[in-house]
Amino acid sequence: HLTELDVSHNRLTALGAEVVSALRELRKLNLSHNQLPALPAQLGALAHLEELDVSFNRLTHLPDSLSCLSRLRTLDVDHNQLTAFPRQLLQLVALEELDVSSNRLRGLPEDISALCALKILWLSGAELGTLPAGFCELASLESLMLDNNGLQALPAQFSRLQRLKMLNLSSNLLEEFPAALLPLAGLEELYLSRNQLTSVPSLISGLGRLLTLWLDNNRIRYLPDSIVELTGLEELVLQGNQIAVLPDNFGQLSRVGLWKIKDNPLIQPPYEVCMKGIPYIAAYQKELAHSQPAVQPRLKLLLMGHKAAGKTLLRHGLTEERVEGCPGGGDKEKCYPPSPPAVSKGIEVTSWTADASRGLRFIVYDLAGDESYEVIQPFFLSPGALYVLVVNLATYEPRRFPTTVGSFLHRVGARVPHAVVCIVGTHADLCGERELEEKCLDIHRQIALQEKHDAEGLSRLAQVVDEALARDFELRSASPHAAYYGVSDKNLRRRKAHFQYLLNHRLQILSPVLPVSCRDPRHLQRLRDKLLSVAEHREIFPNLHRVLPRSWQVLEELHFQPPQAQRLWLSWWDSARLGLQAGLTEDRLQSALSYLHESGKLLYFEDSPALKEHVFHNLTRLIDILNVFFQRDPSLLLHKLLLGTSGEGKAEGESSPPLALPTPSQELLRATQLHQYVEGFLLHGLLPAHVIRLLLKPHIQAQQDLQLLLELLEKMGLCYCLNKPKGKPLNGSTAWYKFPCYVQNEVPHAEAWINGTNLAGQSFVAEQLQIEYSFPFTFPPGLFARYSVQINSHVVHRSDGKFQIFAYRGKVPVVVSYRPAKGVLQPDTLSIASHASLPNIWTAWQAITPLVEELNVLLQEWPGLHYTVHILCSKCLKRGSPNPHAFPGSERVNVALVYPPTPTVISPCSKKNVGEKHRNQ
């Protein structure tokens, strides 16, 4: 009397004929994820069978008797070894759902139309090149999966499938949008990702019931105006195309929730507007209708390089105006005014009008090369900029390539995939002709070797994913030592897609290396011409020609005009008044400020309760303030503090009455106290709020300035308040701030916990949970320091070291550790650990959950970064193994964050290891 039998996920290699023939009342049978090479003929005797799942086996054929299953409604034979479509299935006239995906069918029979009741058909990855005409007679079809095949076109009769609601044609070879799809008025979901489409027909508006449309990773250059008539769309995916302009009234697609548009050369609306979503696109287009369009030819130019590379001297040489009437030759000293001393003051910003006739302007960022600035440099690396990597040719040696060139290329590639980089060699006048040629060739050669090494490494990793996908999921799960142990096919395909993205978005490095002497006007003019020709290339920098509403442009200009230009920040209402002058009503101001923030013109944090009422428009002063904190010069810091105290006691806007001059002993005492503050800052990153105010004079005028600035620095992940209770004021006590990037002690007071003893020195019996992030190519500069700030709201009783943080989540201890790579072959690692007794292991998961989430948010800022996540074996850790076994962890961690595991801790390294328990784990 048995009606349902599930023996899936076992290791069956055969099915007894006598067993099958006895189960005469069986209606559902699941044999999936086994190792069956064949099915018994007696299966055809199960006259009542309605559902049969034999997927993920090793079947090369199906028994002829299968055609006798006249009541069969659902059949799943995907991921087997079939080499042709089984003709026995054509007799199953009651069949409603059929899955033959991931078999090498290479074709379908003409009489497949016999399956007249079929509603759902899976043919993914079946190596199909064409569809027979008879396929179009499957009039009952509602869902059809044809992805991952080799289809170049659909038969004209395909439009007969009028009941079709969902169609997946992704990862095929379609060059034209199939015209046969346009009459399918009932279609609700259409997937055409990863094809070779160049356009979308205007008649797509006839698909009025469409809810989901995926057109990503094609070659589409424009969208038809009629696409805005698909007002029911809820998902629209367009990333990875060549779209520059979105149709007017695009904001009508207001129901779109899932929206992806990155990796397109967008100019109207600008990329920054499109990335914010459909409501912002609607606001932009509405504003464009209210005011005249304005094209702003302006490009961000970033000078990067090692300390003393010559960036500042190069910036002065590029941006200075030539003396009128200079012929460009002869006496070089007369062609340009004398340059100021080429000493960097930190990060500096200069506006350079490169072509006055067209108003082409570069905003030049001179990024300081000192290591102390690494934590803030990533804030300035953004898409759509031209990167100039400056190398001092006079001091360059081949062995210094990794630090002077290679690391900067890795950094830019991780932050801004597909960025355009120009290599400029400075101090060419200090090198002989042969030396100059050899050094430029060496840089060029080593760049090519590094790029080749990185690309080959990514290709090998992608190949490992392919090999894992080729194996059965059960085989991958049989041994913890197998590559991608226990990782699902879906997640493997996601990882493969990420590797493909990284391979397709390598840096665009302009060659050859351009040698320059900043004292030679001809060299500088040649560099100017080079930068202009690159900037004006529409395919490389489409954003140079972005179109803005005139009112947005005026609003930006008003923010930088006196008197507001001198202020550090404006209130939202101040900006609203400027908006009215620009013709913007209050309801239209938000989208304009959002664009100016996204494009780096000002800072406006609409998602921050503490900052959303303020607009930080004076970026030059903000950068000056950042420079104060990141110049690690004790004498300079002390000098600023002494200057700050000289005016202390004056009320703002008032003149002070004459005061008695301090005695020498008082001056000495004051200097000693300030010196101690400087020492504490440079060793431990600690400063009280009143000393920060002294440091920042004259930038800070009022207490509100200071408070807002500290909130901003905390938002940027640069510091946190040590003694401020959550959500409560300090009640008059001094606020102390910690800047993690300045912490010098290697480890905090957590050695006892790490070595397996508690803080009282007694051993404990506990399981350690440790999640490790590994970075084989590059570790984002400043990531650990910023992460240290981001987790502060989640932990208490913390103790910080340069590379380690020991803290508590409630009563549960957590340790965050960063381990720099010790050699070329070793990766940098960042780990998050906790421990608990075995019955309470879920408390350790709860402790690390928000810390993992905060790290994942920070890593999203680095889309070109490759890293892996592993869960380390607890038994290896307990034994003190130097190389603990690592389980693939990204998917496990994501699941565990939602569903904390039961206290089952298994190790592949323990003496008694049972495979089935590992599957449970």
Side-chain angles (χ1 to χ4, degrees), residues 485 767-769 837-842 845 871-872 874-875 887 892 900-908 913-921:
Y485 163 70
E767 296 294 340
Q768 185 167 335
L769 172 64
S837 61
L838 190 55
N840 296 316
I841 193 66
W842 62 272
W845 276 103
I871 302 175
L872 301 188
S874 61
K875 293 195 187 302
F887 295 94
R892 282 183 171 81
T902 53
T904 305
V905 180
I906 311 295
S907 168
N913 175 32
V914 183
E916 186 60 35
K917 288 184 179 180
H918 270 288
R919 282 194 292 279
N920 291 338
Q921 181 195 43

Side-chain angles (χ1 to χ4, degrees), residues 570-576 586 589-590 593 604 612-614:
L570 298 175
S571 71
W572 191 89
W573 292 107
D574 292 334
S575 284
E586 187 180 318
L589 177 67
Q590 185 95 355
L593 289 176
Y604 172 59
K612 67 180 180 181
E613 296 298 325
H614 303 87

Side-chain angles (χ1 to χ4, degrees), residues 283-302:
Y284 165 89
Q285 292 185 330
K286 181 181 178 183
E287 193 58 42
L288 207 58
H290 273 86
S291 63
Q292 294 296 316
V295 177
Q296 271 191 320
R298 182 168 55 185
L299 191 65
K300 188 175 180 180
L301 179 71
L302 291 105

Side-chain angles (χ1 to χ4, degrees), residues 493-730:
R493 282 192 287 269
R494 283 180 180 170
R495 181 162 287 269
K496 181 182 175 181
H498 181 61
F499 285 137
Q500 202 60 52
Y501 173 82
L502 296 180
L503 285 167
N504 293 340
H505 290 77
R506 307 302 300 158
L507 288 176
Q508 302 175 78
I509 302 173
L510 307 177
S511 60
V513 177
L514 199 64
V516 169
S517 168
C518 295
R519 294 183 175 85
D520 190 330
R522 292 166 299 183
H523 284 198
L524 292 170
Q525 190 57 45
R526 185 180 61 179
L527 178 57
R528 283 194 190 90
D529 294 341
K530 174 76 170 178
L531 296 177
L532 276 172
S533 67
V534 173
E536 290 172 339
H537 200 298
R538 278 184 174 267
E539 291 188 6
I540 298 178
F541 287 111
N543 58 313
L544 186 67
H545 308 278
R546 69 183 72 188
V547 179
L548 291 178
R550 176 68 183 157
S551 54
W552 289 14
Q553 186 178 344
V554 172
L555 178 68
E556 179 189 344
E557 293 168 355
L558 288 172
H559 274 84
F560 303 119
Q561 290 179 1
Q564 56 269 7
Q566 307 306 317
R567 296 170 59 184
L568 180 61
W569 54 271
L570 298 175
S571 71
W572 191 89
W573 292 107
D574 292 334
S575 284
R577 281 190 286 272
L578 296 179
L580 289 173
Q581 293 179 44
L584 286 165
T585 54
E586 187 180 318
D587 59 316
R588 289 151 50 204
L589 177 67
Q590 185 95 355
S591 54
L593 289 176
S594 176
Y595 164 75
L596 294 174
H597 170 85
E598 294 295 332
S599 57
K601 309 300 188 308
L602 48 75
L603 297 180
Y604 172 59
F605 298 98
E606 54 188 309
D607 60 339
S608 168
L611 299 173
K612 67 180 180 181
E613 296 298 325
H614 303 87
V615 177
F616 296 88
H617 64 299
N618 198 332
L619 294 189
T620 303
R621 281 184 66 186
L622 282 176
I623 290 172
D624 289 342
I625 288 170
L626 292 177
N627 286 334
V628 170
F629 287 115
F630 294 98
Q631 285 177 330
R632 299 183 183 229
D633 187 334
S635 58
L636 186 61
L637 289 169
L638 186 58
H639 178 67
K640 285 182 178 293
L641 287 176
L642 289 170
L643 284 178
T645 55
S646 64
E648 217 173 356
K650 297 179 184 179
E652 192 178 334
E654 297 178 2
S655 59
S656 299
L659 297 174
L661 292 174
T663 64
S665 59
Q666 288 174 327
E667 283 189 351
L668 180 62
L669 178 62
R670 182 181 66 180
T672 303
Q673 288 174 334
L674 295 178
H675 182 70
Q676 290 173 347
Y677 282 129
V678 171
E679 276 191 342
F681 180 50
L682 295 178
L683 282 175
H684 308 294
L686 285 173
L687 276 180
H690 69 276
V691 174
I692 293 176
R693 182 169 182 174
L694 292 177
L695 264 182
L696 297 181
K697 281 189 176 182
H699 299 293
I700 298 296
Q701 299 297 330
Q703 183 63 28
Q704 188 181 12
D705 289 347
L706 178 65
Q707 197 56 46
L708 279 175
L709 181 66
L710 291 171
E711 291 281 1
L712 178 62
L713 293 178
E714 208 162 340
K715 174 75 175 177
M716 295 171 72
L718 300 179
C719 69
Y720 62 88
C721 186
L722 276 176
N723 56 335
K724 182 180 178 182
K726 292 181 176 65
K728 297 179 182 178
L730 281 168

Side-chain angles (χ1 to χ4, degrees), residues 392-433:
N392 186 342
L393 292 177
T395 60
Y396 174 78
E397 297 175 8
R399 64 183 177 83
R400 297 184 63 199
F401 173 86
T403 55
T404 56
V405 181
S407 60
F408 286 97
L409 294 179
H410 276 149
R411 188 176 305 173
V412 174
R415 185 79 174 189
V416 188
H418 217 47
V420 181
V421 183
C422 178
I423 314 291
V424 175
T426 55
H427 301 96
D429 54 317
L430 302 180
C431 302
E433 188 175 338

Side-chain angles (χ1 to χ4, degrees), residues 300-304 315 347-350 363-367 380 599-601 619 623:
K300 188 175 180 180
L301 179 71
L302 291 105
L303 300 177
M304 303 181 67
R315 173 170 59 87
I347 295 174
E348 295 184 78
V349 186
T350 308
I363 309 300
V364 184
Y365 286 76
D366 179 356
L367 300 185
F380 300 95
S599 57
K601 309 300 188 308
L619 294 189
I623 290 172

Side-chain angles (χ1 to χ4, degrees), residues 695-829:
L695 264 182
L696 297 181
K697 281 189 176 182
H699 299 293
I700 298 296
Q701 299 297 330
Q703 183 63 28
Q704 188 181 12
D705 289 347
L706 178 65
Q707 197 56 46
L708 279 175
L709 181 66
L710 291 171
E711 291 281 1
L712 178 62
L713 293 178
E714 208 162 340
K715 174 75 175 177
M716 295 171 72
L718 300 179
C719 69
Y720 62 88
C721 186
L722 276 176
N723 56 335
K724 182 180 178 182
K726 292 181 176 65
K728 297 179 182 178
L730 281 168
N731 295 325
S733 59
T734 300
W736 282 81
Y737 285 83
K738 192 174 188 76
F739 293 75
C741 58
Y742 274 97
V743 176
Q744 295 301 312
N745 54 307
E746 291 293 324
V747 289
H749 306 294
E751 296 85 354
W753 187 92
I754 298 160
N755 294 330
T757 56
N758 62 17
L759 297 181
Q762 300 173 339
S763 298
F764 58 78
V765 179
E767 296 294 340
Q768 185 167 335
L769 172 64
Q770 184 165 334
I771 297 174
E772 183 177 86
Y773 288 70
S774 180
F775 303 84
F777 293 109
T778 187
F779 185 79
L783 177 67
F784 184 73
R786 287 188 62 208
Y787 181 51
S788 174
V789 175
Q790 298 303 115
I791 65 173
N792 186 60
S793 61
H794 301 291
V795 298
V796 293
H797 308 310
R798 63 183 290 171
S799 175
D800 287 34
K802 186 176 183 180
F803 297 135
Q804 202 165 53
I805 303 163
F806 174 58
Y808 281 87
R809 282 266 300 144
K811 295 182 179 179
V812 182
V814 291
V815 171
V816 178
S817 306
Y818 167 57
R819 185 175 63 192
K822 294 181 179 178
V824 179
L825 299 178
Q826 284 191 330
D828 295 77
T829 59

